[in-house]
Structure formats: structure tokens, C-alpha cells
């Protein structure tokens, strides 16, 4: 069980995923059209924060463009709450010169006691992103870490 709480939008479903020994929760719209055309999804994951790392340090790569990712248009760091909000776009060459631009709204929440960082990454194709603003707000902006302990 994950120590996270969030508002699950109507018609969205949760599934667990393990990739490269890293567990994540994936939240997808039930409608195939939303999954295919909009490629909308929210992915929740957790990792330990290294001893020398801080939330400020984690934001550094997003302050400038790198590869297909633009510099973040929004970086909000709330040291008191241990929370970061990022908003950025990233392009990806999917096939035969076709580029897809995805917009990401990413939130990191630090559990100070365990030095774990919980990440919520809500993303969709940039051209369709406006259709998912409300569900993404419920998922990424409102997620919280509960007091329960679990090993990542």
C-alpha cells in the first residue's frame, strides 16, 4: 500500500507498475480516446533523497533547456512544506521524423522523516493538455503523503 492520498477523478483507473526495479502507480483515463489521442496519464513514484541532495538541487536541471525538454515555465519551491511544483514541455521523436510535444505538471513532496521524495507527474500531449487540467489538478496538485511508513 502506498502512503499517498489523492482525488481520483471519475472515469480514471489506477494500476501498479514495476519497471527496472522501480515501482510506480499509473493513473489513466478509462476512455481509449483519452489514452491514445491525448496520451494523458499521471505517474506516482518514490525515491530516496541522497544525503547531499535537496529539493532546491533537484530543480536545477529544469531551470534550463536540456535535450528535448524546454526550461520549466514554472518552478515553485515551498521549503516549509517540502514541496516543489514544475511545469514544462518536452518533445520526443516518436517515428519517421514525427515529433510529439508533451506538457508535464510535476510535483515532488518530501517526507522529511524518511528522506523519501514522492513524485507525481501528470502529462499529456501539449495540444490536448487543456482537456485534462481539472483531473490533473485533482491528481498532482492535491496529492499528499500520509504518515504511514512503507519501504520503497
Amino acid at each position: 500500500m502506498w502512503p499517498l492520498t489523492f482525488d481520483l477523478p471519475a472515469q480514471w483507473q489506477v494500476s501498479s507498475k514495476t519497471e527496472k526495479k522501480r515501482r510506480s502507480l499509473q493513473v489513466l483515463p478509462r476512455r481509449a480516446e483519452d489514452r491514445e489521442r491525448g496520451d494523458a496519464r499521471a505517474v506516482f513514484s518514490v525515491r530516496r533523497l541522497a544525503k547531499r541532495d535537496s529539493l532546491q538541487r533537484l530543480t536545477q536541471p529544469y531551470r534550463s533547456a536540456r535535450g528535448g525538454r524546454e526550461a520549466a515555465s514554472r518552478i515553485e519551491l515551498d521549503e516549509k512544506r517540502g514541496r516543489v511544483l514544475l511545469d514544462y514541455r518536452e518533445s520526443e521523436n516518436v517515428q519517421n521524423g514525427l515529433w510529439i510535444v508533451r506538457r508535464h505538471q510535476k510535483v515532488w513532496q518530501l517526507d522529511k522523516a524518511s528522506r523519501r521524495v514522492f513524485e507525481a507527474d501528470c502529462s499529456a500531449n501539449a495540444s490536448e493538455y487543456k482537456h485534462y487540467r481539472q483531473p490533473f489538478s485533482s491528481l498532482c496538485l492535491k496529492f499528499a503523503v500520509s504518515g504511514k511508513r512503507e519501504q520503497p
Side-chain angles (χ1 to χ4, degrees), residues 91-152:
S91 61
E92 178 182 348
N93 186 346
V94 291
Q95 66 181 14
N96 300 328
L98 175 65
W99 286 84
I100 298 293
V101 177
R102 295 185 59 73
R103 183 166 171 195
H104 293 261
Q105 184 176 67
K106 188 177 284 196
V107 177
W108 289 319
Q109 179 66 54
L110 176 63
D111 178 13
K112 293 177 183 178
S114 67
R115 299 223 8 112
R116 292 184 299 170
V117 176
F118 291 86
E119 178 180 295
D121 184 2
C122 290
S123 64
N125 291 339
S127 61
E128 301 292 322
Y129 188 87
K130 64 183 174 237
H131 301 296
Y132 305 105
R133 245 182 243 287
Q134 189 64 38
F136 286 167
S137 175
S138 296
L139 290 164
C140 286
L141 296 180
K142 294 181 182 175
F143 99 95
V145 178
S146 69
K148 294 181 181 179
R149 300 281 177 176
E150 179 199 345
Q151 294 300 316

Side-chain angles (χ1 to χ4, degrees), residues 23-78:
R23 292 183 330 179
S24 63
L25 288 179
Q26 195 166 24
V27 184
L28 301 168
R30 288 186 192 209
R31 290 180 30 200
E33 178 182 335
D34 290 322
R35 291 191 311 268
E36 293 167 5
R37 187 186 72 205
D39 197 14
R41 63 178 168 247
V43 179
F44 294 88
S45 59
V46 62
R47 64 179 164 158
R48 280 214 187 278
L49 192 62
K51 288 183 180 184
R52 294 183 183 176
D53 275 344
S54 65
L55 290 177
Q56 175 72 32
R57 193 173 193 170
L58 291 178
T59 66
Q60 288 306 318
Y62 294 90
R63 295 184 184 280
S64 58
R66 184 175 288 171
R69 190 192 73 237
E70 295 176 352
S73 59
R74 180 175 165 192
I75 299 176
E76 293 179 12
L77 173 61
D78 184 344

